[in-house]
Amino acid sequence: MPLRSWALACLAILSLFLLSEAVKKEDFKSCSQSAFCRRNRALADSASEQSNWQSPYTLVKDSIRFSNNFLTADVKNTATNNVLILELQVLVDNTVRVRMDEKSPLRQRYQDHAQFTLVDDAKPVKPFKSGKNTDGVVKITLDESGCRKVVVTPSPLRIDFLVNESPVVTLNDRGFFNFEHLRSKELHKPKMITQRNEDGSETEVEAEEEKDLWEETFRTWTDSKPNGPESIGMDISFHDFGHVYGIPEHASSLSLKETRGGEGAYTEPYRLYNTDVFEYEMDSPAALYGSIPFMLAHRKNESVGVFWMNPSETWIDIVKTAPESHATGVQKVFNMVKSTGQKKSTKTHWFSEAGVLDMFVFFGPSSKDVFRQYTKLTGKPAMPQSFAIAYHQCRWNYINQNDVREVDEQFDVHDIPYDVIWLDIEHNDGKRYFTWDEAKFPDPTKMQNELSQKGRKLVTIIDPHIKRDDDYYICKEAKDKNLFVKQPSGPDYEGWCWPGQSSWVDYTNPDARKWWADKFKLDNYKHSTEALYVWNDMNEPSVFNGPEITMPKDMVHHGGWEHRALHNVYGQIYHGSTADGLKERLAVQQRPFVLSRAFYAGSQRFGSIWTGDNMAQWDALQASMPMIMSVSVAGLPFAGADVGGFFNNPSHELLVRWYQAGAFQPFFRAHAHIDTKRREPWLAGEPYTDIIRNVVRERYALLPYWYNLFQEAHENGTPIMRPLVVEYPEDEAVFAMDDQFLVGGGILVKPVTEEGATQTNVYFPPSDIWYDLHTHDRVQGMASQVVPAPLDVVPAYYRGGHIVPRRERIRRSSHAMSLDPFTLVIALDANGEANGSLYLDDGKTFGYEKKEYLMAEFNFKHGVLTYSIQHKNPVFASSIASVRVERLVILGHPSASKAVATDGSGKRDLDVEKSKNGKLVVRDPAVLITENGWKIELA
Ligand code: NOJ
């Protein structure tokens, strides 16, 4: 090995060693170590302690204006005389935006993130009615029905969102609103308090809240805080909503816990600050790799949502209270009735370090409405290529070209389908992204072509830290074009990551985004082919020698903005630039596939995320469910966890159980740390390999159903891995349930997450009939019951009323399945009916945006299955002209002994086979998927 490579290898090993030695809980701030967190919590404490507390903020009555369809008014802090401007806008689809900024700020506060976060221009619409009374109370009625209103009470400032005259959401309910106005350090007069000394004398000292206003030290790092204190905080109450969800990413429960008092409460607030946490803790509100400040609140049959659009460090406190009386000034003025239900209310308190207050309230009324409302603003989840939702094989690292070839071949030898093989950071030249280690990968093009011939793909890792090396073209160009993030004093910021000394491209700069996207052109990224896709890791950004393993907050971005103001959106912009690059690299654009570790609101537009470096432990397997569901309800449905666990070696049993869970989660990838033993599915031996094979094949059989769900998510933002509360909004038994989930609306899954378990408890929502996915037996008995779950069984069930399309031929990759016939599983409900849909497109390009797809519905009623096509693009349809239905599996005792198919070519009698468990199999109806109007009648 040449000397340089030795040095690099040593550095890599050293960095790994240091990483595992250094990154501990104490590397990350608790609230008490963050000055703005302390200040905002202290304000909440002091407000709560005073029975007569009144928020100092007041709406200035004669400043209220309705112009350009929205309300503006001055809001005065009566304690400081600082004035803010409030803007309240009604948007389409039961959404309201509330903004507040300083009226005459010392300097502008950061707002550019909106361009990275919102896709909708969020133009206000004219509300149905708006007006104010003589007390200055403003009332805005959203629409003609009059059931949704916003009421702004001037003194103290309070904003109520009402449904049928009852407040559902209130801002500044508890008076914690806090907007730290920008001030100049020179003119700042610290608040002094009198301290009594032991000898009875008194001394004037700086008040506690003056600490760390202008500079803050955490461990060995000092944050220069040139703007001083600039945080904003607001309390948001969800009246009579007992459950809130979302605000990922945390290794916590789906239904969020209290953070201040209460049974099982955390002592820290939930924190949103993208960080690379080594061996992260389970059941914790601590920040992880991604942040989406979106919260969904639910009570029986009603959901509302809130999006706090702020990419700076944010903390959220949650408490729950008994039902309350809402006879406040608002109700008195407008004669409103009291609260609606008996359930607990949830009171939250949000505070961010910088920026302006810019938030959205979504009225729902169902959770699916809220998902649509939120993704209308922040963007539709990307429609993936069909390979991306199949199975991915990764490890750190497949060491060379032979290794890749062998792993690829072994999948075929063992008859296990897979679509993508991944290369981690060891594949390139000294962690110089976009390059190859030529000794290990002498012919990457050939390698990709070989994979491609089997319909398979390659993913390479591209991280945002760029090795400082003038002989490395990426570094040289970025330096020459001045595209790196800067130090406050001007030079490029430098920190330490995998390649050693590195700099970070400033993706907030449009030139940098464009330049970066160009790097993915096939001519620019040497030896890349169409079969190569990308993995963006370490984009929090992870900086090994930075405060909290990330970039110091006082580093400077394009336009002079501090990193502090935009930290949480950095990784999202990077992810987006990479996705743009992949999209633009070919003449006929193909859908990008980019996996990212960091994320923010809007990341759903660019691809998938995963839950980072989890442990090969049972509790981490369990945690993958609430973690993925929390990301999913926050508009980002394409999420997964490292199957098998990243750190350490899973037992064969844990590995099998993890495959069983992963096969039913949206992003399905096995991955492992460089220090772990190899664990490709065939290495475990029997019976494990066989069980893994079966469950991976089950994933492939269900790919048509998954593809439907991705299309639905793309349209409406509906989670794919779906918490039961989304489908059963009236069943309180499921509101906090996160150890089982639904895939779409039609399949219930309860993965086993306990060592040695041979059975598990499953809750079957009693309003539906359920059928075992494997045996097709109808589930009998209680709603909650123990079911057998030996190692080879993952309890999974079809939901009565659903028709699930499957493709059951065993193939080596999803690509090889594209013309395979369908099996339709028709799971009947109590009325003997079922419905389902089918969405097909080329699985690759953006043709679907030009309506190049087929969309159809299956409907089973009165013993007849009918097929109706809603949309059929003739060119696309001709490419799948041969695709037919080869089998119907009808569950739920349909009474029939024969079946007749009727289509364009006439009537045909079909073979029917009835099993003891009430299942009817109709063989080879041979009806075509591109032919509208065929039917199959049972008789
Ligand atoms: C950290 C990622 O989370 C992990 O998945 C990856 O293998 C390592 N970085 C090395 O790239």
Side-chain angles (χ1 to χ4, degrees), residues 289 396 424-425 461 463 498 535 537-538 597 610 612-613 642 646 669 671-672:
Y289 314 94
W396 177 13
D424 207 323
I425 49 174
I461 196 165
D463 289 355
W498 297 127
W535 174 15
D537 188 17
M538 314 295 275
R597 193 170 70 177
W610 92 110
D613 298 347
D642 285 349
F646 178 69
R669 181 188 75 154
H671 183 40

Side-chain angles (χ1 to χ4, degrees), residues 387-388 392 422 459 533-534 582 591-595 608 638 667:
F387 80 81
H392 300 251
W422 292 52
V459 165
Y533 294 85
V534 176
L582 290 189
R591 298 172 221 171
F593 171 76
V594 188
L595 175 74
S608 53
F638 198 6
F667 177 60

Side-chain angles (χ1 to χ4, degrees), residues 5 72 99 121 244 279 299 472 572 664 834 850 924 937:
S5 305
T72 56
R99 311 181 74 226
D121 55 6
V244 287
E279 298 194 348
R299 66 184 180 200
Y472 172 33
Q572 184 251 45
F664 290 96
K850 293 180 276 163
D924 202 18
E937 286 166 273

Side-chain angles (χ1 to χ4, degrees), residues 250-495:
H250 305 98
S252 181
S253 46
L254 173 69
S255 172
L256 300 169
K257 296 188 179 176
E258 291 183 78
T259 60
R260 309 205 82 183
E263 206 185 323
Y266 295 132
T267 50
E268 289 284 306
Y270 282 93
R271 187 182 189 207
L272 295 178
Y273 190 57
N274 292 359
T275 31
D276 178 2
V277 186
F278 177 75
E279 298 194 348
Y280 59 82
E281 248 195 326
M282 297 292 103
D283 194 12
S284 161
L288 290 175
Y289 314 94
S291 300
I292 306 182
F294 166 84
M295 186 180 270
L296 174 78
H298 183 77
R299 66 184 180 200
K300 212 169 173 172
N301 280 327
E302 184 159 19
S303 293
V304 291
V306 161
F307 173 40
W308 174 268
M309 189 169 71
N310 190 313
S312 69
E313 179 185 349
T314 297
W315 301 75
I316 302 142
D317 265 318
I318 298 176
V319 293
K320 302 204 179 177
T321 62
E324 49 194 30
S325 155
H326 299 302
T328 61
V330 185
Q331 280 82 15
K332 280 178 212 142
V333 174
F334 290 111
N335 268 340
M336 290 163 189
V337 291
K338 285 192 187 171
S339 93
T340 48
Q342 299 309 311
K343 297 298 160 230
K344 280 178 147 189
S345 287
T346 303
K347 309 218 155 181
T348 62
H349 181 201
W350 304 57
F351 33 97
S352 294
E353 188 175 10
V356 299
L357 186 142
D358 196 349
M359 56 177 293
F360 299 83
V361 175
F362 308 102
F363 273 103
S366 75
S367 62
K368 287 183 184 170
D369 292 324
V370 176
F371 303 138
R372 184 193 61 245
Q373 289 155 358
Y374 170 72
T375 52
K376 177 164 183 10
L377 284 173
T378 58
K380 294 173 173 207
M383 187 65 204
Q385 288 204 35
S386 38
F387 80 81
I389 67 172
Y391 173 64
H392 300 251
Q393 183 66 37
C394 186
R395 86 169 267 114
W396 177 13
N397 217 91
Y398 287 118
I399 54 176
N400 56 32
Q401 213 165 310
N402 262 343
D403 196 9
V404 170
R405 187 177 304 120
E406 272 169 29
V407 171
D408 179 68
E409 278 168 10
Q410 288 301 311
F411 272 97
D412 293 336
V413 168
H414 293 90
D415 237 344
I416 303 172
Y418 97 103
D419 268 58
V420 192
I421 189 158
W422 292 52
L423 295 179
D424 207 323
I425 49 174
E426 315 300 328
H427 81 275
N428 50 36
D429 173 18
K431 319 292 185 295
R432 291 172 184 82
Y433 304 105
F434 298 100
T435 69
W436 301 86
D437 180 326
E438 287 169 16
K440 297 178 190 162
F441 295 91
D443 196 346
T445 307
K446 183 166 171 238
M447 175 174 71
Q448 290 161 69
N449 290 342
E450 283 168 4
L451 289 167
S452 219
Q453 275 159 19
K454 298 181 184 176
R456 292 178 178 148
K457 319 284 178 201
L458 179 76
V459 165
T460 56
I461 196 165
I462 308 262
D463 289 355
H465 44 257
I466 304 299
K467 185 177 174 61
R468 298 287 306 185
D469 171 0
D470 284 343
D471 293 334
Y472 172 33
Y473 74 106
I474 297 279
C475 177
K476 175 93 177 54
E477 287 180 26
K479 254 165 98 175
D480 291 350
K481 293 176 189 290
N482 203 18
L483 300 177
F484 285 128
V485 178
K486 298 280 179 276
Q487 298 178 38
S489 56
D492 291 346
Y493 166 65
E494 294 186 31

Side-chain angles (χ1 to χ4, degrees), residues 23-56:
V23 189
K24 298 271 159 53
K25 209 171 167 183
E26 60 274 15
D27 279 338
F28 301 96
K29 287 185 186 174
S30 63
C31 178
S32 62
Q33 291 166 312
S34 155
F36 84 94
C37 189
R38 271 199 319 269
R39 289 197 300 275
N40 282 279
R41 258 193 162 186
L43 184 146
D45 285 340
S46 108
S48 312
E49 278 157 18
Q50 299 170 41
S51 55
N52 58 349
W53 168 259
Q54 282 222 331
S55 166

